[in-house]
Amino acid sequence: MDLEAQFLSLSTKFLFINCGGQSSEYRNELNTLLNELNGLDYKNQQIADVRAPIRLVESFVNIPTSEDTLIVKACCLTKTLISRQKITLPANVAAVQIGWLLKCLERCFYQVICEVLGTLQILMKHCGEHVAMFAEFLVSSNGMLVNLLADPDYRKVERGGRTYDRSSPEEIHLATVQCMEAFLVAAEGNVAMEKYLPVIGDSVVSLAFRAKSDWLPEASFYSLMISALNCLRLVSIQQEDWLREHLGQLLGVSKAYMMFGIPGINQPMAQRIMVSQQGVPEPQHIPINKGGKVPKTRKTRTIAKGKGGKSDAKKGTAAKTGSTWDENSRHPYSEKSFDLDSE
């Protein structure tokens, strides 16, 4: 049986149980169906009828918000369908899913936090202008994402010593920054969102100054750095006043992450650059040597007075006779050099 036939069969069973108002009574059946749906080969095959995946995702809102296991598996399936099957959700469907996931966080926060944040990151790309509905809850001064960047354990009272909580504070940091990046991309150009940008920028700058390379594996730490810098870029291009106020910190963060990875620099030690060091020196006007050989100038030799020698004597003789002929300078084979009377 190909992927589409398997998916239609399993999703139809799931819809029948989950949309009948008895999902809490058939928890085991729903759990089994989600396991089978997540186990299908979505990588090498394609679902032609996109309506079936959309209907399935829409039905997830009927899962009780206290069922953390079902919520996590529903999040995994949503991410797989969107990323691997390239399913495009309508904006209103994506907005409804975001609202449901935020309600789930109210009931079981740390049990599902990383999976929910990862799903929110994908859904925000589809909800368009509806993202403004969740700004107050997510990125206000007391918003969930802002609080998580400041302290991943800000709701630690709810942990209650549960043993199935697998998310470390560093993993929560990574998921939060990536979710905030997706929010900024979705809200870019929305005038109503500008009032939240300074709060977002402050929280990301604070994280950038605290981040350590041993928080996460190398690839994950690079993802954290990239998302944080992109968040700062998106805030800076939309908030010039905030950019001027935090220029020293932003330059310090940029310098630290540019130097990170150079032999001997194992930590991105961000430090604020003072105003006196922020100026760019103007280039000085220094003669430029274009290279190549430079012709040497030969020095002329001057003869001191009174030290003429033989050459001066010859000049004197020539001056007296008024002629430039010198008998001693005749050619050796001239007429006078032969003795005609000799044998």
Side-chain angles (χ1 to χ4, degrees):
M1 188 181 296
D2 61 356
L3 171 64
E4 187 160 6
Q6 289 178 307
F7 183 85
L8 288 174
S9 175
L10 293 172
S11 62
T12 302
K13 294 178 183 178
F14 186 91
L15 290 170
F16 179 77
I17 298 174
N18 194 37
C19 297
Q22 301 175 342
S23 55
S24 59
E25 299 178 8
Y26 294 94
R27 181 184 181 281
N28 292 334
E29 287 79 358
L30 292 176
N31 185 53
T32 301
L33 288 171
L34 285 174
N35 287 337
E36 294 179 1
L37 284 166
N38 277 309
L40 296 178
D41 183 15
Y42 296 102
K43 185 176 181 180
N44 299 316
Q45 300 181 57
Q46 198 72 23
I47 299 174
D49 185 7
V50 297
R51 293 174 297 177
I54 293 175
R55 285 195 300 266
L56 179 64
V57 172
E58 282 183 295
S59 72
F60 289 160
V61 297
N62 294 322
I63 297 176
T65 56
S66 59
E67 293 289 347
D68 55 341
T69 302
L70 298 181
I71 293 168
V72 169
K73 293 179 180 181
C75 287
C76 291
L77 185 55
T78 301
K79 291 187 291 185
T80 300
L81 291 174
I82 294 176
S83 60
R84 292 190 177 180
Q85 290 294 310
K86 309 300 180 185
I87 302 298
T88 302
L89 295 178
N92 59 330
V93 174
V96 171
Q97 296 301 309
I98 292 175
W100 170 68
L101 289 173
L102 296 181
K103 291 179 181 178
C104 294
L105 290 176
E106 293 297 322
R107 294 293 302 273
C108 45
F109 191 83
Y110 286 106
Q111 296 91 307
V112 299
I113 182 63
C114 282
E115 289 296 335
V116 167
L117 289 177
T119 309
L120 290 176
Q121 176 188 351
I122 293 178
L123 291 174
M124 285 179 185
K125 299 177 182 178
H126 296 261
C127 68
E129 67 278 2
H130 296 291
V131 72
M133 299 166 50
F134 312 104
E136 190 67 25
F137 183 87
L138 294 174
V139 294
S140 64
S141 58
N142 194 34
M144 182 189 70
L145 297 181
V146 174
N147 287 330
L148 283 174
L149 285 187
D151 180 15
D153 289 330
Y154 84 103
R155 295 179 65 170
K156 60 184 177 181
V157 177
E158 300 179 12
R159 287 181 180 256
R162 298 180 184 271
T163 57
Y164 52 82
D165 178 19
R166 301 176 183 176
S167 301
S168 67
E170 294 76 19
E171 291 172 337
I172 295 176
H173 271 140
L174 174 59
T176 304
V177 171
Q178 291 178 334
C179 187
M180 189 171 283
E181 179 187 11
F183 177 87
L184 287 171
V185 172
E188 188 175 6
N190 191 334
V191 179
M193 297 293 99
E194 291 184 359
K195 62 181 180 180
Y196 300 104
L197 295 178
V199 176
I200 296 174
D202 291 343
S203 61
V204 177
V205 166
S206 176
L207 175 67
F209 271 79
R210 291 182 285 114
K212 303 296 181 183
S213 61
D214 55 357
W215 279 9
L216 295 162
E218 185 176 9
S220 298
F221 184 72
Y222 288 150
S223 298
L224 175 69
M225 291 167 49
I226 293 170
S227 294
L229 292 174
N230 196 31
C231 287
L232 295 176
R233 181 187 67 84
L234 291 168
V235 173
S236 298
I237 61 178
Q238 299 179 78
Q239 282 286 316
E240 293 185 1
D241 294 338
W242 182 87
L243 173 61
R244 295 190 192 96
E245 294 175 4
H246 297 79
L247 183 59
Q249 292 172 308
L250 294 174
L251 290 175
V253 170
S254 302
K255 179 182 177 181
Y257 286 111
M258 286 174 62
M259 297 180 64
F260 175 67
I262 296 176
I265 301 179
N266 300 320
Q267 291 289 350
M269 302 298 292
Q271 294 181 349
R272 180 179 180 180
I273 296 180
M274 305 306 294
V275 177
S276 59
Q277 299 176 345
Q278 293 177 12
V280 179
E282 296 183 0
Q284 299 180 357
H285 298 286
I286 301 175
I288 301 175
N289 184 5
K290 297 182 179 180
K293 294 183 178 180
V294 179
K296 295 181 179 180
T297 56
R298 179 173 294 179
K299 295 182 179 180
T300 57
R301 299 176 63 183
T302 57
I303 301 174
K305 294 182 179 180
K307 296 182 180 180
K310 294 182 180 180
S311 60
D312 291 341
K314 291 180 180 179
K315 289 180 181 178
T317 306
K320 290 179 181 179
T321 58
S323 174
T324 58
W325 171 256
D326 185 3
E327 293 182 355
N328 297 325
S329 64
R330 64 184 180 177
H331 294 287
Y333 299 107
S334 62
E335 183 180 355
K336 292 184 178 182
S337 64
F338 293 97
D339 188 1
L340 298 178
D341 295 335
S342 61
E343 294 181 357

